[in-house]
Amino acid sequence: MSALRPAARGGLGLSRLGVRLAGSRRFQLISERVPFLRRIGRREGDELFDIVAGFVHSQVLYALVELRVMHHLADGPQTVQALATATGLSPERMQLLLQGGAALKLLKRCRDGRFDLAVRGAAFLAVPGLEAMVGHHHVLYRDLADPVAFLKGETDPELARFWPYVFGAAGATDPEVTAKYSRLMTESQALVVEDTLRLVDLMGVRRLMDVGGGTGAFLAAVGRAYPLMELMLFDLPAVVEAAPQRLAQEGLAGRVTVHGGSFRDDPLPVGADAISLVRVLFDHSDATVKLLLRKVFDALPADGRVIVAEAMSGGAHPHRETDTYMAFYTAAMRTGRVRSAAEIAELLVSQGFSGVKIFPGLRPYVASAVTAVRPSAAP
């Protein structure tokens, strides 16, 4: 059985012989008679079918979110009829949806036939920004309806219009679209903020500038964690318009300065000894990222620090969430891509930074971090 080697993460690490055996129907039938191989084969079969059925699973979740079924169940179990009446579905279709939700362990079926919220469903509602992200997935699903045409570049992804800010100041001019972007960014930023502050110690930073920081979600958390730190925010004028009021509500009015501009067209403000880029690089091409990193380099003093935090690819060891969901999502945006920490480190070094440190995230699909410094003897 040397052809079957346990993998470091998920599934089986198979040699070429193992691949040939796994692809043999005769070997599969023989394996059903061997307890050890039968367990492996059935587990692999379950995981394979999970991939096949993945789109339907995501659609069940989307329907539960759109119909607010989990919210209806937050106060206790309800009958199929009550939920059907509350959501406008027929009892038969509601039964279908509830059974699917229970199969995904988001809901649970009670002995009396009613349905209740399961632990996983309760956790889903409690994760900041997760419901908002799922709520806009119909855009991504339409973009990936024909994945082959998408990969060939024969489609016009709708998601690029959902996030117009990635095209620069000219893209973020519609107030309604800008407000929708800012709201989703704020709601979905909480987990990224939490993980980033766990990974990176900002002790010793006198003034932090968050570039591409929206209405200040990251800065608000930093301000609470580091009460003596001065703060700066830089983003597109249409995006930061709501930031002063939001930051004032956080009690940061006297500690933060807000700057509107486009890093494509404008130099970054100076005065910060650390600059953060939270969920910024993966929105942009390598050429744009290099331009941004060079402007960050120029805005920092000697020994100034840059912090990059976002979902990162597994690189040489592809990661299930970031190398599927996040990679295809950013591709649909048309301007960026998910990079590995090693790739980000190379980009930083190419723009003159040194002392690169990588902080793998416990949830790579939320955020990992890479930091670097501007050396004293700048090129």
Side-chain angles (χ1 to χ4, degrees), residues 197-321:
L197 292 181
R198 287 193 190 103
L199 294 170
V200 181
D201 185 359
L202 297 178
M203 190 64 67
V205 173
R206 179 179 56 85
R207 182 180 292 126
L208 172 72
M209 177 165 64
D210 191 30
V211 174
T215 58
F218 181 63
L219 284 185
V222 171
R224 291 190 294 270
Y226 299 89
L228 299 181
M229 190 183 298
E230 297 179 29
L231 308 168
M232 301 167 65
L233 175 65
F234 182 89
D235 210 324
L236 297 171
V239 174
V240 299
E241 189 173 317
Q245 180 180 356
R246 186 258 173 84
L247 293 169
Q249 291 172 346
E250 296 282 350
L252 300 174
R255 295 171 52 195
V256 62
T257 55
V258 177
H259 303 265
S262 169
F263 71 78
R264 286 184 174 88
D265 308 316
D266 307 311
L268 296 180
V270 297
D273 56 325
I275 293 177
S276 54
L277 302 167
V278 180
R279 288 204 312 187
V280 172
L281 299 194
F282 66 15
D283 287 338
H284 302 286
S285 67
D286 284 356
T288 302
V289 167
K290 288 178 181 178
L291 170 67
L292 171 57
L293 293 180
R294 189 65 209 187
K295 291 194 175 186
V296 169
F297 185 94
D298 291 340
L300 283 171
D303 298 320
R305 189 179 180 197
V306 60
I307 301 105
V308 177
E310 59 186 40
M312 297 181 189
S313 162
H317 303 282
H319 186 268
R320 181 183 176 100
E321 287 80 15

Side-chain angles (χ1 to χ4, degrees), residues 60 64 97-109 115 118:
V60 170
L64 290 170
L97 177 59
L98 295 173
Q99 286 285 124
L104 296 177
K105 298 183 179 180
L106 294 162
L107 313 177
K108 61 182 179 182
R109 183 167 179 163
F115 284 84

Side-chain angles (χ1 to χ4, degrees), residues 19 69 74 95 139 148 154 174 180 233-234 236 238 242 336 347 379:
V19 171
V69 171
Q95 180 77 38
V139 182
V148 175
E154 297 172 352
D174 186 322
K180 179 169 59 175
L233 175 65
F234 182 89
L236 297 171
L347 287 166

Side-chain angles (χ1 to χ4, degrees), residues 13-25:
L14 300 177
S15 65
R16 290 309 303 169
L17 173 60
V19 171
R20 287 195 294 272
L21 289 175
S24 165
R25 183 57 184 156

Side-chain angles (χ1 to χ4, degrees), residues 59-119:
Q59 293 297 82
V60 170
L61 173 60
Y62 180 73
L64 290 170
V65 168
E66 283 295 289
L67 295 170
R68 296 181 62 80
V69 171
M70 289 182 282
H71 287 277
H72 287 300
L73 293 173
D75 293 328
Q78 294 195 34
T79 65
V80 174
Q81 181 61 60
L83 289 167
T85 301
T87 59
L89 295 188
S90 69
E92 293 77 17
R93 291 293 178 166
M94 177 52 69
Q95 180 77 38
L96 178 69
L97 177 59
L98 295 173
Q99 286 285 124
L104 296 177
K105 298 183 179 180
L106 294 162
L107 313 177
K108 61 182 179 182
R109 183 167 179 163
C110 305
R111 291 183 178 180
D112 60 6
R114 294 184 299 168
F115 284 84
D116 198 359
L117 197 61
V119 171

Side-chain angles (χ1 to χ4, degrees), residues 5 57 99 120 140 155 195 202 228 265 292 333 336 366-367:
R5 300 193 301 271
H57 295 171
Q99 286 285 124
R120 182 175 295 174
L140 177 62
T155 63
D195 282 15
L202 297 178
L228 299 181
D265 308 316
L292 171 57
M333 290 172 65
V366 174

